[in-house]
Amino acid sequence: MKENFKEEKDIIETTEVKKVSDDQLSELIKIGKKQLFYQKVATSCIAGMLLVMIIAVAVLIPRVSTTLTHINTVATKAETSLENVNTMTTSVSNSAGNFDKLLNDNSEKLTSSIKSISEIDFEGLNKAITDLQSAVGPLAKLFGKSN
């Protein structure tokens, strides 16, 4: 009997070990399935983000290219305008130098002309005109023209 009891005990222990082993295996299978599900979710999210990035790049590259072309055009026009401004500045500087030279070359003549104009006796000139009118007036009447 002792042997029977021992055999039954071994059978019970083996069954319990099998139950524990089966329970553990089923638990491991559940955990594995959950991990697989979450891996699929993570992979789908990464694929979605990659798709969004590809679409964004496909949309942005033509716009960036167009913008860079416009910037290049504006920079070229600005460079041309700066060259024109430099040419104008040089021209204005040369004109100012020529004007200074003209003034320096003719300053004596201008000074003497202004001095001559200032020395004119306008009162004497006015008196001479009045005297001339007095002398010519009777002659004009004589020839039939009145003033």
Side-chain angles (χ1 to χ4, degrees):
M1 200 122 151
K2 277 187 174 185
E3 284 182 21
N4 267 346
F5 183 70
K6 191 174 180 185
E7 285 179 18
E8 284 180 22
K9 190 175 179 188
D10 286 339
I11 292 174
I12 293 173
E13 284 180 7
T14 305
T15 308
E16 286 179 9
V17 169
K18 268 188 164 181
K19 281 186 180 179
V20 171
S21 224
D22 287 343
D23 289 341
Q24 287 176 345
L25 285 176
S26 68
E27 191 67 32
L28 284 175
I29 290 172
K30 285 181 186 177
I31 291 172
K33 285 182 180 181
K34 283 183 183 179
Q35 285 179 342
L36 180 62
F37 172 75
Y38 287 120
Q39 283 294 332
K40 286 181 181 179
V41 169
T43 304
S44 298
C45 289
I46 291 172
M49 289 188 323
L50 181 64
L51 182 64
V52 167
M53 297 267 297
I54 289 172
I55 291 172
V57 167
V59 168
L60 289 178
I61 285 179
R63 288 185 182 184
V64 168
S65 177
T66 303
T67 302
L68 289 176
T69 303
H70 289 312
I71 289 172
N72 190 27
T73 303
V74 169
T76 304
K77 287 180 181 178
E79 195 172 296
T80 304
S81 296
L82 285 176
E83 289 174 5
N84 290 341
V85 167
N86 286 338
T87 303
M88 286 176 21
T89 303
T90 304
S91 176
V92 167
S93 296
N94 291 339
S95 296
N98 290 339
F99 186 71
D100 285 344
K101 184 180 176 194
L102 178 69
L103 282 177
N104 288 335
D105 290 349
N106 295 317
S107 64
E108 267 186 44
K109 292 177 184 176
L110 287 172
T111 304
S112 66
S113 298
I114 291 173
K115 185 177 179 187
S116 296
I117 290 173
S118 67
E119 291 176 353
I120 294 176
D121 180 17
F122 287 104
E123 289 180 19
L125 187 59
N126 284 338
K127 186 173 188 275
I129 291 172
T130 306
D131 290 344
L132 183 61
Q133 282 178 345
S134 301
V136 173
L139 285 175
K141 285 184 185 178
L142 181 67
F143 290 111
K145 295 183 179 181
S146 68
N147 196 358

